Amino acid sequence: MSFTNFNLNPNIAKAIHLCGYTEPTPIQTLCIPDILKRKDMIASAQTGTGKTAAFVLPALHQLSISKSSNKVRVLVLTPTRELANQITDATNKYGKFLQLNIVSLVGGTSYRQQFKKLSRRVDMIIATPGRLLDHMKNHALDLSSVEILILDEADRMLDMGFVDDVSEIASHLPVKRQTLLFSATVDHKITHILKNLLKDPILIDLSLEKLTPTHITQELYIADDIQHKNRLLHHILNNKNIFKGIIFTATKANADKLSKELSQLGHLTSPLHGDLKQNVRNRTIEQLRRGKIQYLVATDVAARGIDINDITHVINFDLPRLPEDYVHRIGRTGRAGKSGIAISFASRHDIRMVEKIERFTHQILQREIIVGLEPSSKSGMAKNKKNKQFNVKHKSRFKTKPQQVGMPKKKVSAPLQKAKNNHFKFKKKSKAA
Ligand code: AMP
């Protein structure tokens, strides 16, 4: 399969060539032809799979073929500012040779600048729902000519409570339009809540393929307490060959604290979380991209959508609250086909979350131990090589099939159940020891 098969506008093809893309990724191969046929679509795919280009390229093609009007014709809604910025950058890159006006409307940026941009001709808007609604309420926006509505990371928009905003925005768009919904996971909740926005959508599911990212090695270290986690982290930062990394914490305060501690130890690090001003967040991400810092200490929302190709490691200092977030976190490494390493720390209290992650990803996290920094037996999980061998052996058996959109949740597979049972057996054993 080659990009030429899509018959995209030659100016888009030229830009793709400049990006160095030789062939479409699976999500692009599956989505682009149907989007070009103007079909509605629900597609589940993770970031890192090339999904931005999967919807941006056909949207740009649509803008390039029909006659231009002075009104907005493509609207992309996305949950976070970082994602909106990332999509805007990608769109400018792919649309480099088309004379289009693409405007990003996100919070944390001055209204005045945005009003100024909106006073000119605008072809495409990439926005977070709250800021877009503000502009709509100020009558600064006419969305009556939108031909394509794209909802990116729809699951996260629902999680962040944007459902009413999205419905309200959609109610101001023409009924006759194309609607594309992209989401890391597509379940009953999403299809039920958002189905009214779509007409006979084509369903494309690549979620589980990405959930078994063979190019990301996943390791788990058991920690007794926070001090133990700190010792493990210092050892890893000093001994592993980390080029760039993101360290995830559970709270904004922890991100600040840990970043400060690591800086004091001589590591080049900065915090990244929602309490920081947007320009500070942008600058921090840019510093990591340029190698001015080596580590981000980040929370989930702020780090979502970071697209830096040479992040070699993701470290979950604290585990996320949702297994979906685990997948998003580890997807910050192993970008564009490169390999990556995801390291997680878990305490005894996190065992249920580890199990949830393993069930969700259909993978067992490989238990690792650092000699001299072993967990005490009361931690209740991996302590010796036996456990490590067990996990490695079972890992390769977890073959998954893509799940149908709207189907009931998959039951735990037999091998996974067996692995779980053994895991519990092991836990009992180590408790007795
Ligand atoms: P995304 O999933 O949209 O966040 O994209 C992840 C990364 O893949 C970005 O750095 C893109 O530039 C890159 N990418 C997108 N499409 C392709 C392609 N067809 N070939 C190589 N890299 C790509």
Side-chain angles (χ1 to χ4, degrees):
M1 184 69 166
S2 139
F3 277 106
T4 49
N5 296 55
F6 300 139
N7 283 325
L8 292 167
N9 179 299
N11 281 325
I12 303 176
K14 192 160 114 188
I16 296 170
H17 183 70
L18 259 189
C19 290
Y21 302 170
T22 48
E23 55 181 80
T25 63
I27 190 80
Q28 292 162 4
T29 305
L30 284 171
C31 294
I32 292 176
D34 282 320
I35 301 178
L36 289 172
K37 285 184 204 144
R38 315 293 330 276
K39 301 251 198 290
D40 280 10
M41 179 176 286
I42 297 179
S44 69
Q46 305 289 323
T47 56
T49 56
K51 79 170 162 68
T52 314
F55 60 76
V56 168
L57 296 178
L60 288 175
H61 182 78
Q62 173 68 12
L63 287 175
S64 75
I65 49 170
S66 54
K67 57 180 183 322
S68 76
S69 71
N70 274 341
K71 293 185 182 163
V72 183
R73 294 167 58 205
V74 176
L75 173 62
V76 183
L77 292 180
T78 187
T80 66
R81 300 163 189 181
E82 280 76 13
L83 264 172
N85 291 342
Q86 186 197 320
I87 297 169
T88 308
D89 290 348
T91 309
N92 282 321
K93 204 166 63 174
Y94 304 139
K96 193 180 163 128
F97 302 111
L98 303 169
Q99 254 113 45
L100 297 173
N101 283 330
I102 293 144
V103 171
S104 162
L105 298 179
V106 295
T109 314
S110 99
Y111 279 93
R112 234 173 50 154
Q113 272 178 15
Q114 293 179 351
F115 281 134
K116 209 163 139 194
K117 285 185 185 157
L118 292 175
S119 65
R120 304 189 204 117
R121 199 195 86 201
V122 180
D123 299 289
M124 177 164 171
I125 286 180
I126 297 147
T128 47
R131 181 55 68 101
L132 187 84
L133 267 179
D134 285 350
H135 282 290
M136 288 168 72
K137 283 174 188 154
N138 285 321
H139 307 290
L141 258 181
D142 178 2
L143 298 178
S144 62
S145 297
V146 168
E147 294 161 32
I148 310 179
L149 167 66
I150 300 163
L151 306 174
D152 187 35
E153 306 241 341
D155 54 341
R156 175 51 64 134
M157 281 203 273
L158 294 195
D159 287 347
M160 290 172 73
F162 286 137
V163 63
D164 292 338
D165 289 357
V166 171
S167 304
E168 157 117 40
I169 292 164
S171 72
H172 287 83
L173 306 184
V175 179
K176 196 167 167 288
R177 62 161 195 267
Q178 183 178 23
T179 306
L180 311 172
L181 185 155
F182 282 76
S183 184
T185 48
V186 175
D187 54 17
H188 279 309
K189 198 172 111 192
I190 291 208
T191 39
H192 181 73
I193 296 177
L194 297 174
K195 68 172 184 264
N196 293 339
L197 304 181
L198 296 122
K199 274 184 239 94
D200 299 328
I202 306 258
L203 307 178
I204 292 188
D205 189 345
L206 274 177
S207 56
L208 288 182
E209 272 189 32
K210 180 62 192 176
L211 288 179
T212 54
T214 47
H215 58 297
I216 301 179
T217 306
Q218 298 171 65
E219 300 173 357
L220 181 74
Y221 291 84
I222 303 305
D224 297 330
D225 49 32
I226 179 95
Q227 287 79 15
H228 191 188
K229 274 191 189 180
N230 279 323
R231 287 197 297 276
L232 287 168
L233 181 67
H234 298 160
H235 183 94
I236 285 167
L237 298 192
N238 291 329
N239 292 284
K240 295 233 176 197
N241 200 7
I242 304 180
F243 185 62
K244 286 181 192 173
I246 303 186
I247 302 164
F248 283 95
T249 59
T251 65
K252 299 165 193 168
N254 284 359
D256 279 333
K257 187 164 171 276
L258 187 59
S259 176
K260 201 166 159 196
E261 284 166 7
L262 294 177
S263 293
Q264 282 163 353
L265 288 170
H267 296 289
L268 294 171
T269 120
S270 281
L272 184 82
H273 55 70
D275 278 355
L276 297 168
K277 287 211 170 102
Q278 189 58 41
N279 59 347
V280 176
R281 283 155 66 171
N282 292 346
R283 200 171 54 225
T284 301
I285 292 172
E286 205 44 42
Q287 282 178 328
L288 184 70
R289 192 186 305 281
R290 288 167 181 224
K292 303 249 187 253
I293 54 171
Q294 192 180 6
Y295 300 107
L296 289 185
V297 186
T299 56
D300 285 297
V301 171
R304 204 166 164 117
I306 292 179
D307 181 20
I308 299 178
N309 282 341
D310 50 7
I311 292 174
T312 51
H313 289 70
V314 163
I315 301 176
N316 293 312
F317 188 83
D318 297 317
L319 284 181
R321 283 184 209 103
L322 298 169
E324 290 90 327
D325 287 336
Y326 174 83
V327 176
H328 279 289
R329 286 180 179 190
I330 71 167
R332 299 308 101 214
T333 181
R335 309 285 291 172
K338 293 190 180 155
S339 61
I341 297 179
I343 294 171
S344 298
F345 298 160
S347 70
R348 195 158 47 94
H349 307 290
D350 295 322
I351 290 172
R352 283 186 69 85
M353 181 45 74
V354 171
E355 289 167 359
K356 273 191 190 171
I357 290 169
E358 291 180 335
R359 251 195 322 268
F360 185 76
T361 59
H362 289 242
Q363 289 190 344
I364 294 283
L365 310 190
Q366 191 169 311
R367 273 64 170 169
E368 296 284 349
I369 292 163
I370 295 172
V371 177
L373 291 175
E374 298 88 348
S376 65
S377 60
K378 67 178 189 315
S379 287
M381 287 174 79
K383 194 175 177 238
N384 55 27
K385 280 190 189 145
K386 207 170 157 192
N387 184 274
K388 193 173 150 189
Q389 281 163 2
F390 154 76
N391 288 317
V392 174
K393 201 171 86 200
H394 283 265
K395 203 176 164 197
S396 59
R397 295 172 53 188
F398 286 20
K399 295 264 184 286
T400 54
K401 293 193 189 99
Q403 203 174 343
Q404 289 290 305
V405 174
M407 293 282 279
K409 258 205 156 83
K410 253 185 138 166
K411 280 193 184 150
V412 177
S413 66
L416 186 61
Q417 192 59 55
K418 193 172 159 204
K420 241 186 104 188
N421 293 344
N422 283 342
H423 176 68
F424 281 123
K425 262 186 227 156
F426 177 79
K427 266 163 60 187
K428 274 191 200 143
K429 240 195 259 171
S430 73
K431 260 186 188 162

